[in-house]
């Protein structure tokens, strides 16, 4: 899904609405020797803020919210400037249980949202652009079974170092 969205980035940006700019995909962050990769990062010019997009196949799991919250805090600490508004996190997954999402995000101080895409309900031309869950799972299984594959799942685009001593508290409305 990530490849399909980035391969058609002009159309994706139009669909997101005016003001979005594409910063990168699979952006690498080194946090004291631990590697993390943000699936997709955008900047909204009118709202003056970063938007982290995490993509997951299948059903929403509560731990996805924790990872998204981590990435939002990471972007706020590493890229956000004083004049920027706080970073927003968006998780897109195959399906979701609204109550599980509510509990998972209930205590978060970061602005985050979870959206589900339903492959079967997409228009025909969009189905051609996006792989279904079976295709994504098969691609991930191939990547795990053949580490020398020429098209790895993760492509670090940017390398940033993070100081583990940085902390930030975010207030939301």
């Amino acid at each position: 899904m990530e490849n399909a969205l980035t391969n058609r980035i002009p159309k994706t940006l139009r669909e997101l609405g005016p003001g979005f700019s594409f910063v990168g995909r699979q952006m690498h962050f080194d946090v004291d020797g631990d590697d993390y990769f943000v699936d997709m990062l955008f900047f909204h010019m009118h709202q003056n803020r970063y938007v982290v997009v995490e993509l997951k196949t299948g059903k929403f799991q509560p731990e996805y919210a924790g990872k998204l919250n981590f990435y939002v805090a990471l972007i706020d600490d590493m890229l956000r400037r004083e004049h920027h508004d706080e970073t927003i996190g968006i998780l897109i997954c195959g399906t979701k249980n609204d109550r599980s999402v509510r509990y998972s995000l209930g205590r978060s101080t970061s602005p985050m949202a979870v959206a589900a895409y339903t492959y079967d309900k997409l228009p025909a031309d969009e189905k051609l652009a996006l792989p279904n869950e079976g295709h994504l799972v098969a691609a991930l299984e191939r990547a795990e079974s053949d580490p020398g594959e020429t098209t790895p799942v993760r492509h670090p685009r940017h390398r940033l170092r993070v100081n583990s001593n940085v902390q930030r508290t975010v207030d939301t409305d």
Side-chain angles (χ1 to χ4, degrees), residues 1-9 12-13 16 20-29 37-43 50-55 68 71-72 75 79 87-92 130 154 157:
M1 182 167 56
E2 179 185 332
N3 283 335
L5 291 172
T6 55
N7 287 342
R8 56 192 280 286
I9 198 67
T12 299
L13 289 172
L16 288 173
F20 276 94
S21 62
F22 181 65
V23 177
R25 66 176 254 213
Q26 292 304 314
M27 291 190 60
H28 176 258
F29 292 88
F37 297 87
V38 172
D39 285 344
M40 299 177 76
L41 184 62
F42 296 90
F43 190 83
Y50 286 98
V51 179
V52 173
V53 177
E54 274 299 296
L55 306 168
L68 180 62
Y71 287 150
V72 167
I75 296 300
L79 301 179
T87 301
I88 292 176
I90 300 172
L91 174 72
I92 302 173
L130 296 172
R154 300 275 186 195
R157 294 285 177 127

mmCIF file of all heavy atoms in Angstrom, residues 1-9 12-13 16 20-29 37-43 50-55 68 71-72 75 79 87-92 130 154 157:
data_model
loop_
_atom_site.group_PDB
_atom_site.id
_atom_site.type_symbol
_atom_site.label_atom_id
_atom_site.label_comp_id
_atom_site.label_asym_id
_atom_site.label_seq_id
_atom_site.Cartn_x
_atom_site.Cartn_y
_atom_site.Cartn_z
ATOM 1 N N MET A 1 0.828 -1.179 0.000
ATOM 2 C CA MET A 1 0.000 0.000 0.000
ATOM 3 C C MET A 1 0.878 1.250 0.000
ATOM 4 O O MET A 1 0.586 2.205 -0.691
ATOM 5 C CB MET A 1 -0.927 -0.013 1.215
ATOM 6 C CG MET A 1 -1.852 1.166 1.251
ATOM 7 S SD MET A 1 -3.214 1.047 2.417
ATOM 8 C CE MET A 1 -2.406 0.764 3.949
ATOM 9 N N GLU A 2 1.948 1.218 0.785
ATOM 10 C CA GLU A 2 2.849 2.368 0.840
ATOM 11 C C GLU A 2 3.452 2.662 -0.524
ATOM 12 O O GLU A 2 3.504 3.820 -0.967
ATOM 13 C CB GLU A 2 3.949 2.098 1.858
ATOM 14 C CG GLU A 2 4.951 3.207 1.981
ATOM 15 C CD GLU A 2 6.081 2.833 2.916
ATOM 16 O OE1 GLU A 2 5.870 2.027 3.830
ATOM 17 O OE2 GLU A 2 7.181 3.346 2.699
ATOM 18 N N ASN A 3 3.938 1.619 -1.213
ATOM 19 C CA ASN A 3 4.504 1.813 -2.547
ATOM 20 C C ASN A 3 3.469 2.390 -3.502
ATOM 21 O O ASN A 3 3.775 3.290 -4.291
ATOM 22 C CB ASN A 3 5.046 0.496 -3.106
ATOM 23 C CG ASN A 3 6.381 0.132 -2.503
ATOM 24 O OD1 ASN A 3 7.122 0.993 -2.051
ATOM 25 N ND2 ASN A 3 6.679 -1.153 -2.485
ATOM 26 N N ALA A 4 2.248 1.870 -3.448
ATOM 27 C CA ALA A 4 1.200 2.365 -4.339
ATOM 28 C C ALA A 4 0.917 3.835 -4.068
ATOM 29 O O ALA A 4 0.742 4.626 -5.001
ATOM 30 C CB ALA A 4 -0.076 1.537 -4.171
ATOM 31 N N LEU A 5 0.876 4.222 -2.791
ATOM 32 C CA LEU A 5 0.605 5.621 -2.451
ATOM 33 C C LEU A 5 1.741 6.541 -2.875
ATOM 34 O O LEU A 5 1.512 7.637 -3.381
ATOM 35 C CB LEU A 5 0.351 5.761 -0.953
ATOM 36 C CG LEU A 5 -0.948 5.153 -0.437
ATOM 37 C CD1 LEU A 5 -0.973 5.180 1.084
ATOM 38 C CD2 LEU A 5 -2.152 5.858 -1.003
ATOM 39 N N THR A 6 2.986 6.110 -2.659
ATOM 40 C CA THR A 6 4.111 6.982 -3.005
ATOM 41 C C THR A 6 4.395 6.984 -4.496
ATOM 42 O O THR A 6 4.864 7.993 -5.021
ATOM 43 C CB THR A 6 5.381 6.615 -2.218
ATOM 44 O OG1 THR A 6 5.678 5.242 -2.416
ATOM 45 C CG2 THR A 6 5.217 6.900 -0.753
ATOM 46 N N ASN A 7 4.122 5.877 -5.190
ATOM 47 C CA ASN A 7 4.318 5.864 -6.641
ATOM 48 C C ASN A 7 3.368 6.808 -7.348
ATOM 49 O O ASN A 7 3.642 7.243 -8.457
ATOM 50 C CB ASN A 7 4.154 4.448 -7.197
ATOM 51 C CG ASN A 7 5.338 3.565 -6.839
ATOM 52 O OD1 ASN A 7 6.403 4.045 -6.480
ATOM 53 N ND2 ASN A 7 5.128 2.266 -6.918
ATOM 54 N N ARG A 8 2.286 7.103 -6.720
ATOM 55 C CA ARG A 8 1.318 8.034 -7.299
ATOM 56 C C ARG A 8 1.165 9.255 -6.392
ATOM 57 O O ARG A 8 0.077 9.725 -6.131
ATOM 58 C CB ARG A 8 -0.012 7.326 -7.532
ATOM 59 C CG ARG A 8 -0.581 6.685 -6.277
ATOM 60 C CD ARG A 8 -1.734 5.757 -6.510
ATOM 61 N NE ARG A 8 -3.027 6.347 -6.695
ATOM 62 C CZ ARG A 8 -3.774 6.886 -5.735
ATOM 63 N NH1 ARG A 8 -3.322 6.949 -4.514
ATOM 64 N NH2 ARG A 8 -4.959 7.372 -5.998
ATOM 65 N N ILE A 9 2.295 9.763 -5.907
ATOM 66 C CA ILE A 9 2.295 10.815 -4.896
ATOM 67 C C ILE A 9 1.533 12.077 -5.324
ATOM 68 O O ILE A 9 0.816 12.649 -4.509
ATOM 69 C CB ILE A 9 3.720 11.137 -4.384
ATOM 70 C CG1 ILE A 9 3.657 11.893 -3.049
ATOM 71 C CG2 ILE A 9 4.525 11.915 -5.388
ATOM 72 C CD1 ILE A 9 3.117 11.093 -1.916
ATOM 73 N N THR A 12 -2.025 11.229 -4.651
ATOM 74 C CA THR A 12 -2.218 11.063 -3.210
ATOM 75 C C THR A 12 -2.302 12.423 -2.539
ATOM 76 O O THR A 12 -3.173 12.653 -1.690
ATOM 77 C CB THR A 12 -1.067 10.236 -2.596
ATOM 78 O OG1 THR A 12 -1.050 8.945 -3.210
ATOM 79 C CG2 THR A 12 -1.237 10.080 -1.097
ATOM 80 N N LEU A 13 -1.423 13.347 -2.906
ATOM 81 C CA LEU A 13 -1.440 14.682 -2.315
ATOM 82 C C LEU A 13 -2.736 15.416 -2.645
ATOM 83 O O LEU A 13 -3.314 16.092 -1.791
ATOM 84 C CB LEU A 13 -0.231 15.496 -2.779
ATOM 85 C CG LEU A 13 1.111 15.047 -2.204
ATOM 86 C CD1 LEU A 13 2.258 15.783 -2.881
ATOM 87 C CD2 LEU A 13 1.155 15.231 -0.698
ATOM 88 N N LEU A 16 -5.416 14.018 -0.421
ATOM 89 C CA LEU A 16 -5.300 14.459 0.968
ATOM 90 C C LEU A 16 -5.863 15.863 1.139
ATOM 91 O O LEU A 16 -6.318 16.225 2.212
ATOM 92 C CB LEU A 16 -3.837 14.426 1.413
ATOM 93 C CG LEU A 16 -3.234 13.051 1.633
ATOM 94 C CD1 LEU A 16 -1.735 13.167 1.893
ATOM 95 C CD2 LEU A 16 -3.927 12.324 2.778
ATOM 96 N N PHE A 20 -0.873 19.907 1.566
ATOM 97 C CA PHE A 20 0.017 18.819 1.954
ATOM 98 C C PHE A 20 1.242 18.776 1.049
ATOM 99 O O PHE A 20 1.140 18.931 -0.152
ATOM 100 C CB PHE A 20 -0.690 17.460 1.860
ATOM 101 C CG PHE A 20 -1.495 17.121 3.072
ATOM 102 C CD1 PHE A 20 -2.840 17.420 3.130
ATOM 103 C CD2 PHE A 20 -0.906 16.519 4.168
ATOM 104 C CE1 PHE A 20 -3.598 17.107 4.242
ATOM 105 C CE2 PHE A 20 -1.641 16.194 5.291
ATOM 106 C CZ PHE A 20 -2.995 16.490 5.324
ATOM 107 N N SER A 21 2.388 18.543 1.672
ATOM 108 C CA SER A 21 3.607 18.276 0.912
ATOM 109 C C SER A 21 4.208 16.977 1.443
ATOM 110 O O SER A 21 4.093 16.657 2.624
ATOM 111 C CB SER A 21 4.597 19.438 1.026
ATOM 112 O OG SER A 21 4.995 19.620 2.358
ATOM 113 N N PHE A 22 4.835 16.239 0.557
ATOM 114 C CA PHE A 22 5.413 14.945 0.885
ATOM 115 C C PHE A 22 6.835 15.146 1.379
ATOM 116 O O PHE A 22 7.655 15.734 0.681
ATOM 117 C CB PHE A 22 5.382 14.053 -0.351
ATOM 118 C CG PHE A 22 5.924 12.677 -0.135
ATOM 119 C CD1 PHE A 22 5.290 11.791 0.714
ATOM 120 C CD2 PHE A 22 7.067 12.257 -0.791
ATOM 121 C CE1 PHE A 22 5.785 10.509 0.913
ATOM 122 C CE2 PHE A 22 7.568 10.977 -0.612
ATOM 123 C CZ PHE A 22 6.923 10.106 0.250
ATOM 124 N N VAL A 23 7.134 14.671 2.582
ATOM 125 C CA VAL A 23 8.470 14.801 3.152
ATOM 126 C C VAL A 23 9.290 13.555 2.840
ATOM 127 O O VAL A 23 10.435 13.644 2.431
ATOM 128 C CB VAL A 23 8.402 15.059 4.675
ATOM 129 C CG1 VAL A 23 9.797 15.120 5.281
ATOM 130 C CG2 VAL A 23 7.631 16.338 4.963
ATOM 131 N N GLY A 24 8.711 12.360 3.046
ATOM 132 C CA GLY A 24 9.448 11.142 2.758
ATOM 133 C C GLY A 24 8.725 9.903 3.238
ATOM 134 O O GLY A 24 7.726 9.979 3.934
ATOM 135 N N ARG A 25 9.280 8.772 2.828
ATOM 136 C CA ARG A 25 8.740 7.479 3.272
ATOM 137 C C ARG A 25 9.878 6.646 3.836
ATOM 138 O O ARG A 25 11.039 6.822 3.472
ATOM 139 C CB ARG A 25 8.033 6.756 2.142
ATOM 140 C CG ARG A 25 8.961 6.327 1.032
ATOM 141 C CD ARG A 25 8.233 5.532 0.007
ATOM 142 N NE ARG A 25 8.627 4.144 0.186
ATOM 143 C CZ ARG A 25 8.727 3.272 -0.780
ATOM 144 N NH1 ARG A 25 8.397 3.594 -1.985
ATOM 145 N NH2 ARG A 25 9.129 2.061 -0.548
ATOM 146 N N GLN A 26 9.522 5.785 4.749
ATOM 147 C CA GLN A 26 10.505 4.957 5.446
ATOM 148 C C GLN A 26 11.652 5.813 5.980
ATOM 149 O O GLN A 26 12.825 5.478 5.818
ATOM 150 C CB GLN A 26 11.024 3.834 4.536
ATOM 151 C CG GLN A 26 9.985 2.799 4.197
ATOM 152 C CD GLN A 26 9.361 2.186 5.434
ATOM 153 O OE1 GLN A 26 10.049 1.818 6.376
ATOM 154 N NE2 GLN A 26 8.046 2.085 5.446
ATOM 155 N N MET A 27 11.292 6.924 6.606
ATOM 156 C CA MET A 27 12.299 7.824 7.164
ATOM 157 C C MET A 27 12.930 7.168 8.384
ATOM 158 O O MET A 27 12.237 6.800 9.325
ATOM 159 C CB MET A 27 11.673 9.170 7.509
ATOM 160 C CG MET A 27 11.277 9.925 6.256
ATOM 161 S SD MET A 27 10.788 11.619 6.564
ATOM 162 C CE MET A 27 12.253 12.304 7.286
ATOM 163 N N HIS A 28 14.227 7.019 8.325
ATOM 164 C CA HIS A 28 14.974 6.311 9.363
ATOM 165 C C HIS A 28 15.347 7.255 10.500
ATOM 166 O O HIS A 28 15.807 8.368 10.270
ATOM 167 C CB HIS A 28 16.249 5.713 8.760
ATOM 168 C CG HIS A 28 17.112 5.050 9.773
ATOM 169 N ND1 HIS A 28 18.239 5.642 10.286
ATOM 170 C CD2 HIS A 28 17.013 3.847 10.376
ATOM 171 C CE1 HIS A 28 18.800 4.832 11.150
ATOM 172 N NE2 HIS A 28 18.082 3.735 11.230
ATOM 173 N N PHE A 29 15.125 6.761 11.721
ATOM 174 C CA PHE A 29 15.558 7.470 12.908
ATOM 175 C C PHE A 29 16.340 6.490 13.769
ATOM 176 O O PHE A 29 15.887 5.376 14.027
ATOM 177 C CB PHE A 29 14.355 8.006 13.708
ATOM 178 C CG PHE A 29 13.612 9.091 12.997
ATOM 179 C CD1 PHE A 29 12.587 8.785 12.124
ATOM 180 C CD2 PHE A 29 13.943 10.421 13.206
ATOM 181 C CE1 PHE A 29 11.903 9.771 11.463
ATOM 182 C CE2 PHE A 29 13.259 11.423 12.543
ATOM 183 C CZ PHE A 29 12.236 11.102 11.669
ATOM 184 N N PHE A 37 11.514 3.353 11.639
ATOM 185 C CA PHE A 37 11.198 3.852 10.307
ATOM 186 C C PHE A 37 9.760 4.358 10.275
ATOM 187 O O PHE A 37 8.821 3.592 10.506
ATOM 188 C CB PHE A 37 11.357 2.736 9.263
ATOM 189 C CG PHE A 37 12.765 2.230 9.154
ATOM 190 C CD1 PHE A 37 13.227 1.222 9.983
ATOM 191 C CD2 PHE A 37 13.632 2.773 8.220
ATOM 192 C CE1 PHE A 37 14.524 0.754 9.887
ATOM 193 C CE2 PHE A 37 14.936 2.316 8.112
ATOM 194 C CZ PHE A 37 15.386 1.305 8.959
ATOM 195 N N VAL A 38 9.595 5.635 9.992
ATOM 196 C CA VAL A 38 8.260 6.223 9.846
ATOM 197 C C VAL A 38 7.800 5.906 8.433
ATOM 198 O O VAL A 38 8.495 6.226 7.456
ATOM 199 C CB VAL A 38 8.301 7.745 10.091
ATOM 200 C CG1 VAL A 38 6.971 8.388 9.763
ATOM 201 C CG2 VAL A 38 8.716 8.031 11.526
ATOM 202 N N ASP A 39 6.618 5.266 8.307
ATOM 203 C CA ASP A 39 6.142 4.841 6.984
ATOM 204 C C ASP A 39 6.067 6.004 6.009
ATOM 205 O O ASP A 39 6.672 5.974 4.952
ATOM 206 C CB ASP A 39 4.771 4.160 7.083
ATOM 207 C CG ASP A 39 4.861 2.756 7.655
ATOM 208 O OD1 ASP A 39 5.970 2.190 7.695
ATOM 209 O OD2 ASP A 39 3.807 2.227 8.061
ATOM 210 N N MET A 40 5.298 7.021 6.360
ATOM 211 C CA MET A 40 5.161 8.185 5.479
ATOM 212 C C MET A 40 5.083 9.444 6.335
ATOM 213 O O MET A 40 4.439 9.450 7.382
ATOM 214 C CB MET A 40 3.910 8.066 4.609
ATOM 215 C CG MET A 40 3.939 6.847 3.700
ATOM 216 S SD MET A 40 2.416 6.685 2.741
ATOM 217 C CE MET A 40 2.701 7.944 1.517
ATOM 218 N N LEU A 41 5.742 10.504 5.861
ATOM 219 C CA LEU A 41 5.711 11.775 6.576
ATOM 220 C C LEU A 41 5.329 12.877 5.604
ATOM 221 O O LEU A 41 5.895 12.977 4.507
ATOM 222 C CB LEU A 41 7.076 12.070 7.213
ATOM 223 C CG LEU A 41 7.155 13.319 8.078
ATOM 224 C CD1 LEU A 41 6.218 13.226 9.281
ATOM 225 C CD2 LEU A 41 8.585 13.551 8.548
ATOM 226 N N PHE A 42 4.358 13.668 6.024
ATOM 227 C CA PHE A 42 3.885 14.807 5.245
ATOM 228 C C PHE A 42 4.034 16.059 6.092
ATOM 229 O O PHE A 42 4.192 15.990 7.307
ATOM 230 C CB PHE A 42 2.401 14.637 4.880
ATOM 231 C CG PHE A 42 2.132 13.461 3.991
ATOM 232 C CD1 PHE A 42 1.839 12.215 4.529
ATOM 233 C CD2 PHE A 42 2.157 13.593 2.612
ATOM 234 C CE1 PHE A 42 1.592 11.120 3.725
ATOM 235 C CE2 PHE A 42 1.908 12.505 1.788
ATOM 236 C CZ PHE A 42 1.623 11.266 2.347
ATOM 237 N N PHE A 43 3.971 17.206 5.407
ATOM 238 C CA PHE A 43 3.898 18.488 6.110
ATOM 239 C C PHE A 43 2.716 19.234 5.534
ATOM 240 O O PHE A 43 2.561 19.311 4.312
ATOM 241 C CB PHE A 43 5.178 19.312 5.942
ATOM 242 C CG PHE A 43 5.222 20.509 6.842
ATOM 243 C CD1 PHE A 43 5.637 20.381 8.158
ATOM 244 C CD2 PHE A 43 4.812 21.754 6.389
ATOM 245 C CE1 PHE A 43 5.664 21.475 9.005
ATOM 246 C CE2 PHE A 43 4.831 22.851 7.219
ATOM 247 C CZ PHE A 43 5.257 22.718 8.533
ATOM 248 N N TYR A 50 3.596 18.791 10.923
ATOM 249 C CA TYR A 50 3.902 17.493 10.330
ATOM 250 C C TYR A 50 2.723 16.552 10.539
ATOM 251 O O TYR A 50 1.998 16.659 11.535
ATOM 252 C CB TYR A 50 5.157 16.881 10.965
ATOM 253 C CG TYR A 50 6.433 17.553 10.522
ATOM 254 C CD1 TYR A 50 7.031 18.520 11.312
ATOM 255 C CD2 TYR A 50 7.023 17.221 9.312
ATOM 256 C CE1 TYR A 50 8.203 19.147 10.906
ATOM 257 C CE2 TYR A 50 8.194 17.840 8.898
ATOM 258 C CZ TYR A 50 8.770 18.800 9.702
ATOM 259 O OH TYR A 50 9.915 19.420 9.292
ATOM 260 N N VAL A 51 2.594 15.616 9.612
ATOM 261 C CA VAL A 51 1.577 14.575 9.712
ATOM 262 C C VAL A 51 2.270 13.233 9.462
ATOM 263 O O VAL A 51 2.795 12.995 8.382
ATOM 264 C CB VAL A 51 0.436 14.788 8.689
ATOM 265 C CG1 VAL A 51 -0.591 13.674 8.794
ATOM 266 C CG2 VAL A 51 -0.219 16.155 8.875
ATOM 267 N N VAL A 52 2.288 12.396 10.492
ATOM 268 C CA VAL A 52 2.869 11.058 10.409
ATOM 269 C C VAL A 52 1.766 10.101 9.979
ATOM 270 O O VAL A 52 0.684 10.099 10.568
ATOM 271 C CB VAL A 52 3.417 10.604 11.788
ATOM 272 C CG1 VAL A 52 3.857 9.152 11.746
ATOM 273 C CG2 VAL A 52 4.539 11.507 12.242
ATOM 274 N N VAL A 53 2.041 9.286 8.957
ATOM 275 C CA VAL A 53 1.074 8.276 8.518
ATOM 276 C C VAL A 53 1.725 6.909 8.657
ATOM 277 O O VAL A 53 2.774 6.653 8.077
ATOM 278 C CB VAL A 53 0.623 8.517 7.056
ATOM 279 C CG1 VAL A 53 -0.314 7.404 6.607
ATOM 280 C CG2 VAL A 53 -0.054 9.876 6.921
ATOM 281 N N GLU A 54 1.106 6.060 9.465
ATOM 282 C CA GLU A 54 1.547 4.679 9.639
ATOM 283 C C GLU A 54 0.542 3.776 8.953
ATOM 284 O O GLU A 54 -0.671 3.977 9.087
ATOM 285 C CB GLU A 54 1.637 4.312 11.123
ATOM 286 C CG GLU A 54 2.943 4.676 11.756
ATOM 287 C CD GLU A 54 4.130 3.978 11.123
ATOM 288 O OE1 GLU A 54 4.232 2.743 11.187
ATOM 289 O OE2 GLU A 54 4.983 4.681 10.552
ATOM 290 N N LEU A 55 1.028 2.790 8.238
ATOM 291 C CA LEU A 55 0.177 1.876 7.475
ATOM 292 C C LEU A 55 0.302 0.470 8.031
ATOM 293 O O LEU A 55 1.416 -0.029 8.218
ATOM 294 C CB LEU A 55 0.598 1.897 6.002
ATOM 295 C CG LEU A 55 0.644 3.282 5.350
ATOM 296 C CD1 LEU A 55 1.345 3.212 4.013
ATOM 297 C CD2 LEU A 55 -0.756 3.839 5.202
ATOM 298 N N LEU A 68 2.494 4.612 17.021
ATOM 299 C CA LEU A 68 2.177 5.883 16.374
ATOM 300 C C LEU A 68 2.479 7.047 17.321
ATOM 301 O O LEU A 68 3.064 8.050 16.906
ATOM 302 C CB LEU A 68 0.713 5.905 15.927
ATOM 303 C CG LEU A 68 0.251 7.178 15.228
ATOM 304 C CD1 LEU A 68 1.035 7.421 13.938
ATOM 305 C CD2 LEU A 68 -1.240 7.105 14.936
ATOM 306 N N TYR A 71 6.135 7.690 17.306
ATOM 307 C CA TYR A 71 6.580 8.405 16.111
ATOM 308 C C TYR A 71 6.192 9.880 16.138
ATOM 309 O O TYR A 71 6.967 10.744 15.714
ATOM 310 C CB TYR A 71 6.036 7.744 14.845
ATOM 311 C CG TYR A 71 6.713 6.441 14.506
ATOM 312 C CD1 TYR A 71 6.021 5.433 13.845
ATOM 313 C CD2 TYR A 71 8.041 6.187 14.824
ATOM 314 C CE1 TYR A 71 6.632 4.231 13.508
ATOM 315 C CE2 TYR A 71 8.660 5.002 14.509
ATOM 316 C CZ TYR A 71 7.952 4.026 13.850
ATOM 317 O OH TYR A 71 8.566 2.843 13.524
ATOM 318 N N VAL A 72 5.012 10.183 16.641
ATOM 319 C CA VAL A 72 4.586 11.582 16.750
ATOM 320 C C VAL A 72 5.531 12.336 17.690
ATOM 321 O O VAL A 72 5.992 13.431 17.371
ATOM 322 C CB VAL A 72 3.117 11.672 17.222
ATOM 323 C CG1 VAL A 72 2.757 13.090 17.643
ATOM 324 C CG2 VAL A 72 2.171 11.192 16.118
ATOM 325 N N ILE A 75 8.968 12.842 15.932
ATOM 326 C CA ILE A 75 8.944 13.924 14.936
ATOM 327 C C ILE A 75 8.890 15.275 15.635
ATOM 328 O O ILE A 75 9.583 16.221 15.244
ATOM 329 C CB ILE A 75 7.755 13.747 13.954
ATOM 330 C CG1 ILE A 75 7.911 12.455 13.145
ATOM 331 C CG2 ILE A 75 7.611 14.970 13.048
ATOM 332 C CD1 ILE A 75 9.166 12.359 12.303
ATOM 333 N N LEU A 79 12.084 17.169 14.413
ATOM 334 C CA LEU A 79 11.860 18.009 13.235
ATOM 335 C C LEU A 79 11.033 19.261 13.506
ATOM 336 O O LEU A 79 11.212 20.271 12.831
ATOM 337 C CB LEU A 79 11.165 17.189 12.145
ATOM 338 C CG LEU A 79 11.912 15.950 11.660
ATOM 339 C CD1 LEU A 79 11.096 15.228 10.587
ATOM 340 C CD2 LEU A 79 13.289 16.305 11.139
ATOM 341 N N THR A 87 2.562 17.896 15.902
ATOM 342 C CA THR A 87 2.454 16.847 14.892
ATOM 343 C C THR A 87 1.194 16.024 15.109
ATOM 344 O O THR A 87 0.794 15.772 16.243
ATOM 345 C CB THR A 87 3.703 15.943 14.962
ATOM 346 O OG1 THR A 87 4.859 16.751 14.732
ATOM 347 C CG2 THR A 87 3.643 14.819 13.946
ATOM 348 N N ILE A 88 0.606 15.608 14.005
ATOM 349 C CA ILE A 88 -0.579 14.746 14.027
ATOM 350 C C ILE A 88 -0.159 13.361 13.554
ATOM 351 O O ILE A 88 0.645 13.226 12.634
ATOM 352 C CB ILE A 88 -1.671 15.297 13.090
ATOM 353 C CG1 ILE A 88 -2.222 16.611 13.634
ATOM 354 C CG2 ILE A 88 -2.792 14.284 12.896
ATOM 355 C CD1 ILE A 88 -3.226 17.265 12.724
ATOM 356 N N GLY A 89 -0.727 12.332 14.153
ATOM 357 C CA GLY A 89 -0.485 10.961 13.737
ATOM 358 C C GLY A 89 -1.749 10.337 13.178
ATOM 359 O O GLY A 89 -2.822 10.483 13.759
ATOM 360 N N ILE A 90 -1.620 9.661 12.040
ATOM 361 C CA ILE A 90 -2.739 8.964 11.425
ATOM 362 C C ILE A 90 -2.311 7.527 11.170
ATOM 363 O O ILE A 90 -1.285 7.281 10.543
ATOM 364 C CB ILE A 90 -3.168 9.622 10.100
ATOM 365 C CG1 ILE A 90 -3.598 11.069 10.341
ATOM 366 C CG2 ILE A 90 -4.289 8.820 9.438
ATOM 367 C CD1 ILE A 90 -3.854 11.855 9.066
ATOM 368 N N LEU A 91 -3.104 6.605 11.666
ATOM 369 C CA LEU A 91 -2.870 5.186 11.435
ATOM 370 C C LEU A 91 -3.937 4.685 10.478
ATOM 371 O O LEU A 91 -5.125 4.893 10.723
ATOM 372 C CB LEU A 91 -2.949 4.402 12.752
ATOM 373 C CG LEU A 91 -2.851 2.895 12.613
ATOM 374 C CD1 LEU A 91 -1.420 2.500 12.264
ATOM 375 C CD2 LEU A 91 -3.302 2.208 13.875
ATOM 376 N N ILE A 92 -3.512 4.068 9.401
ATOM 377 C CA ILE A 92 -4.449 3.485 8.444
ATOM 378 C C ILE A 92 -4.266 1.980 8.497
ATOM 379 O O ILE A 92 -3.158 1.475 8.301
ATOM 380 C CB ILE A 92 -4.196 4.019 7.018
ATOM 381 C CG1 ILE A 92 -4.322 5.545 7.001
ATOM 382 C CG2 ILE A 92 -5.172 3.375 6.037
ATOM 383 C CD1 ILE A 92 -3.934 6.186 5.688
ATOM 384 N N LEU A 130 -3.776 -0.152 -5.446
ATOM 385 C CA LEU A 130 -3.429 -0.617 -4.108
ATOM 386 C C LEU A 130 -3.470 -2.133 -4.022
ATOM 387 O O LEU A 130 -4.428 -2.749 -4.472
ATOM 388 C CB LEU A 130 -4.420 -0.058 -3.081
ATOM 389 C CG LEU A 130 -4.441 1.447 -2.912
ATOM 390 C CD1 LEU A 130 -5.593 1.850 -2.010
ATOM 391 C CD2 LEU A 130 -3.133 1.936 -2.326
ATOM 392 N N ARG A 154 11.938 -2.206 3.734
ATOM 393 C CA ARG A 154 12.301 -0.921 4.342
ATOM 394 C C ARG A 154 13.426 -0.260 3.540
ATOM 395 O O ARG A 154 14.451 -0.855 3.295
ATOM 396 C CB ARG A 154 12.793 -1.124 5.770
ATOM 397 C CG ARG A 154 11.776 -1.770 6.675
ATOM 398 C CD ARG A 154 10.877 -0.717 7.209
ATOM 399 N NE ARG A 154 9.991 -1.314 8.190
ATOM 400 C CZ ARG A 154 8.914 -0.731 8.619
ATOM 401 N NH1 ARG A 154 8.583 0.445 8.181
ATOM 402 N NH2 ARG A 154 8.151 -1.299 9.499
ATOM 403 N N ARG A 157 15.377 6.532 3.873
ATOM 404 C CA ARG A 157 15.555 7.698 3.017
ATOM 405 C C ARG A 157 16.380 8.768 3.725
ATOM 406 O O ARG A 157 17.127 9.484 3.107
ATOM 407 C CB ARG A 157 14.186 8.300 2.644
ATOM 408 C CG ARG A 157 13.352 7.403 1.778
ATOM 409 C CD ARG A 157 13.919 7.442 0.378
ATOM 410 N NE ARG A 157 13.187 6.531 -0.455
ATOM 411 C CZ ARG A 157 12.637 6.858 -1.593
ATOM 412 N NH1 ARG A 157 12.731 8.069 -2.048
ATOM 413 N NH2 ARG A 157 12.012 5.969 -2.306
#
